[in-house]
Amino acid sequence: MKYPVWRQQLVRSLHLHRSKPEAKYFQAASVDENMLPRLRTMVFRDFLEGTHSFLAITDSRSEKVEHWKRSPETELHWYFAKSREQYRFRCKVGLVQLPQNNLADISGVLNMSEQSAKDCLLNTWERLSDSAKKSFSAPSPKSKLNTELPEDIREYGIERKGSSNDTNAPEATKDKLVVSDYFTLVVFEPYASDYLDLKTRPHTRQISNLNESHWQAQSVNP
Amino acid sequence: MKYPVWRQQLVRSLHLHRSKPEAKYFQAASVDENMLPRLRTMVFRDFLEGTHSFLAITDSRSEKVEHWKRSPETELHWYFAKSREQYRFRCKVGLVQLPQNNLADISGVLNMSEQSAKDCLLNTWERLSDSAKKSFSAPSPKSKLNTELPEDIREYGIERKGSSNDTNAPEATKDKLVVSDYFTLVVFEPYASDYLDLKTRPHTRQISNLNESHWQAQSVNP
C-alpha cells in the first residue's frame, strides 16, 4: 500500500515524538444535539490494517457516541510540540460495538467487512491494560459521584454474556475475553488532510484530498 | 473578582507549564457551512481584563471566522502534558474588528462595551511581534502559492487608512499603529467547563456551569 504524503509525514512526526506519551493524543470534534461544536482528547491506537483509517476507542455511554451516531463526521487535530507541526484530518466516523450484533458499519460509513470490524474490535480489546478494561465497568461518564452501579455491570467483564443459556452470544465472548457492552471501537476514515509546519519561515501548509482512492496534495499559503 | 475553581486550576496549570510555549496553545471547534465539526490550534493571549473571557487573534479571511459569524459558539480544549490535565470550555464567541466600525459585539454575543472592545483590540495588536503583524499582510490562508497580493495590502500595515483624505478613519489608525483590516480579536466567553485530571486514580472530573454570573462546580464520574 502506497502511503500518501500526509501519512509519510505523520509517521515521521510520531517517530520523532515516540518518547512522549502525549504524542499519541489527538483531538476529535463532533456536533451535538443543538448543532454546537464539541471536542475532546482521544488516544491514537493504530491504523486499521491495510487502510489509512485511525483507530481509537471509547465508551458507548459517552456523549460523543451520540453525536457521531447522528452525524458520523469529524475533524481530527494533532499537534506535535517538538517539531511544531499541526495535522488536521476530516474523516467519516464508524462506530463498532459487539452487543448490537451490528459489528461493521454501524454508522453506515465504513468500507469495512463485518469480519474485519469484529477482528479489529477483539484485537484492540485484547491489547488493553486491565485498568483500561475495568474503566468500561465503571459508572457512566459525567454521572454523579457515588451512584450505584447498575446490577449487570458490577462485575468486571460481562459475565452474563458467557452464560450457557445465551445461545446467541458471539463465540468470541464465551471464552476468557469478555468484552464490555460499552466498549466501542472508533474508526476514523480520512478524506482530507491539512498539514501546517510552523518551524519553517514562512510557515508551510499542504492540503490533500482523497479523489477516487487517490490522495492529491497541494501546497497553499499558510 | 473572585476566580471560579476552573480558573484557579488553569492558572496553576499554566504556571506549571510556563517554560513550554505550547502550553499557550488550545484547540477551538466550530461548525462549518455543511454543519460539520472543525477544529484548529489557537494561541491564548490573555484573559479579557475584569472577566473570565479568553482572548485570541485570527485573520478575518480564515474559515473559522465565517463559521463563528454564522454560529458564535465554540468548545475550547486545553491539554497539559506534564500535569495530565484536560480542560474543556463551552463559550460564546465574539469577533472584534476595526474596519467594520462595528467594534464590539460583532456576533451580538458579548457583554462588552464598544470602547473596551476597541481598547483591547488595539492593545493586543500593539503587543504583537513584527512578524505576527506582517502575517496579516500576507496572501489569504489556503490560497494558491505565488498568487499576486491584492494591490491594497502589498505594503506592510494598511497605509491607505492613515491617508489625509480618509476623514472617517478612527483616530487610533492615524498614528503609527496601523492595524490590518484583517486583524480580528476573538473573545471566548465561557459558560461551562469540564476538567479532567488523568494523573489521579481513578481519574477525577469536575464540571462547572455559569448560573446568573455565579460558577457552580460539581464533581462527577470521569
Side-chain angles (χ1 to χ4, degrees):
Chain A
M1 183 175 61
K2 202 182 153 222
Y3 281 9
V5 179
W6 65 258
R7 185 158 171 186
Q8 297 172 30
Q9 287 165 324
L10 183 61
V11 165
R12 194 201 52 212
S13 303
L14 284 165
H15 182 74
L16 261 172
H17 295 75
R18 64 194 178 283
S19 67
K20 305 272 185 199
E22 67 267 23
K24 295 228 165 170
Y25 298 174
F26 58 75
Q27 287 72 48
S30 63
V31 176
D32 75 10
E33 62 280 12
N34 300 313
M35 300 313 278
L36 300 181
R38 308 295 297 274
L39 80 173
R40 76 288 295 157
T41 294
M42 297 183 76
V43 182
F44 171 60
R45 301 279 162 182
D46 207 345
F47 285 101
L48 176 64
E49 210 184 316
T51 76
H52 301 305
S53 293
F54 307 94
L55 295 179
I57 63 170
T58 192
D59 190 306
S60 63
R61 298 168 295 175
S62 68
E63 292 174 335
K64 58 186 169 301
V65 168
E66 283 313 306
H67 302 169
W68 284 327
K69 278 187 176 164
R70 220 171 9 243
S71 174
E73 292 265 354
T74 193
E75 185 160 46
L76 306 183
H77 168 279
W78 225 311
Y79 183 71
F80 293 93
K82 210 159 86 180
S83 56
R84 304 187 60 209
E85 295 166 298
Q86 174 185 266
Y87 293 86
R88 294 161 68 193
F89 300 105
R90 305 186 66 181
C91 305
K92 296 190 176 301
V93 183
L95 302 165
V96 182
Q97 293 162 315
L98 263 193
Q100 278 78 351
N101 275 328
N102 188 1
L103 283 162
D105 206 347
I106 280 195
S107 313
V109 294
L110 292 181
N111 298 318
M112 197 176 175
S113 75
E114 193 162 320
Q115 190 57 46
S116 73
K118 182 177 175 176
D119 291 348
C120 186
L121 178 132
L122 295 176
N123 289 339
T124 308
W125 174 262
E126 214 165 338
R127 276 151 47 194
L128 291 185
S129 68
D130 275 0
S131 97
K133 283 177 178 165
K134 276 178 188 157
S135 74
F136 290 93
S137 311
S140 203
K142 277 179 94 167
S143 60
K144 278 188 187 169
L145 283 185
N146 306 319
T147 43
E148 283 282 297
L149 276 177
E151 198 65 46
D152 58 351
I153 63 160
R154 278 210 200 145
E155 298 293 316
Y156 162 55
I158 311 296
E159 297 303 337
R160 66 185 160 75
K161 288 193 92 177
S163 67
S164 52
N165 55 8
D166 186 0
T167 49
N168 291 321
E171 205 52 40
T173 65
K174 287 182 181 165
D175 63 24
K176 275 193 304 181
L177 184 74
V178 280
V179 182
S180 162
D181 277 345
Y182 302 128
F183 180 63
T184 305
L185 178 72
V186 190
V187 186
F188 297 113
E189 192 175 283
Y191 59 86
S193 83
D194 185 339
Y195 169 77
L196 183 63
D197 186 343
L198 297 168
K199 68 180 180 306
T200 55
R201 287 271 165 196
H203 301 157
T204 48
R205 185 170 183 181
Q206 193 169 53
I207 54 177
S208 307
N209 288 287
L210 184 65
N211 288 321
E212 295 172 7
S213 79
H214 291 285
W215 283 93
Q216 292 178 318
Q218 185 189 12
S219 292
V220 296
N221 284 301
Chain B
M1 183 176 63
K2 202 183 154 222
Y3 281 8
V5 180
W6 65 259
R7 185 159 171 185
Q8 297 172 31
Q9 287 165 324
L10 183 61
V11 165
R12 195 201 51 213
S13 304
L14 284 166
H15 181 74
L16 262 173
H17 295 75
R18 62 194 180 284
S19 66
K20 306 271 185 201
E22 66 268 22
K24 295 228 166 169
Y25 296 175
F26 58 75
Q27 285 72 47
S30 63
V31 175
D32 74 10
E33 63 280 12
N34 301 313
M35 300 313 276
L36 300 182
R38 308 294 298 273
L39 81 174
R40 76 287 296 159
T41 296
M42 296 184 77
V43 182
F44 172 59
R45 300 279 161 182
D46 208 344
F47 285 101
L48 176 66
E49 209 184 316
T51 77
H52 302 303
S53 295
F54 306 94
L55 296 179
I57 62 169
T58 191
D59 190 307
S60 62
R61 297 169 296 176
S62 68
E63 291 174 336
K64 58 186 170 300
V65 168
E66 284 312 306
H67 303 170
W68 285 328
K69 278 188 177 167
R70 219 171 11 242
S71 174
E73 291 266 354
T74 193
E75 186 160 46
L76 306 183
H77 167 280
W78 225 311
Y79 182 72
F80 292 94
K82 210 159 86 179
S83 56
R84 303 187 60 207
E85 295 166 298
Q86 175 186 265
Y87 294 86
R88 293 161 68 193
F89 301 104
R90 305 186 66 181
C91 306
K92 296 189 178 300
V93 183
L95 302 165
V96 182
Q97 294 163 314
L98 264 193
Q100 277 79 351
N101 275 327
N102 187 0
L103 282 161
D105 207 351
I106 280 196
S107 314
V109 294
L110 293 180
N111 298 318
M112 196 178 178
S113 75
E114 192 162 322
Q115 189 59 46
S116 73
K118 182 177 174 175
D119 291 348
C120 187
L121 178 132
L122 295 176
N123 288 340
T124 308
W125 173 263
E126 214 165 338
R127 277 151 46 195
L128 291 186
S129 67
D130 275 0
S131 97
K133 283 177 178 163
K134 277 178 189 159
S135 73
F136 291 93
S137 311
S140 203
K142 276 179 94 168
S143 60
K144 278 188 188 170
L145 285 186
N146 306 319
T147 42
E148 282 282 297
L149 276 177
E151 198 64 47
D152 58 350
I153 63 160
R154 280 211 198 144
E155 297 292 316
Y156 163 55
I158 311 296
E159 297 303 336
R160 66 186 161 75
K161 287 192 95 178
S163 67
S164 54
N165 55 8
D166 185 2
T167 49
N168 291 322
E171 205 53 38
T173 65
K174 288 181 181 166
D175 62 25
K176 276 195 302 181
L177 184 74
V178 280
V179 182
S180 163
D181 276 346
Y182 302 128
F183 180 64
T184 305
L185 177 72
V186 190
V187 186
F188 297 114
E189 192 174 284
Y191 60 86
S193 81
D194 185 340
Y195 169 77
L196 183 64
D197 186 343
L198 297 169
K199 67 180 181 304
T200 55
R201 287 271 163 194
H203 300 157
T204 47
R205 187 171 181 178
Q206 194 169 53
I207 53 177
S208 307
N209 288 286
L210 184 65
N211 288 321
E212 294 171 8
S213 78
H214 290 286
W215 282 93
Q216 291 178 321
Q218 186 188 11
S219 292
V220 295
N221 284 301

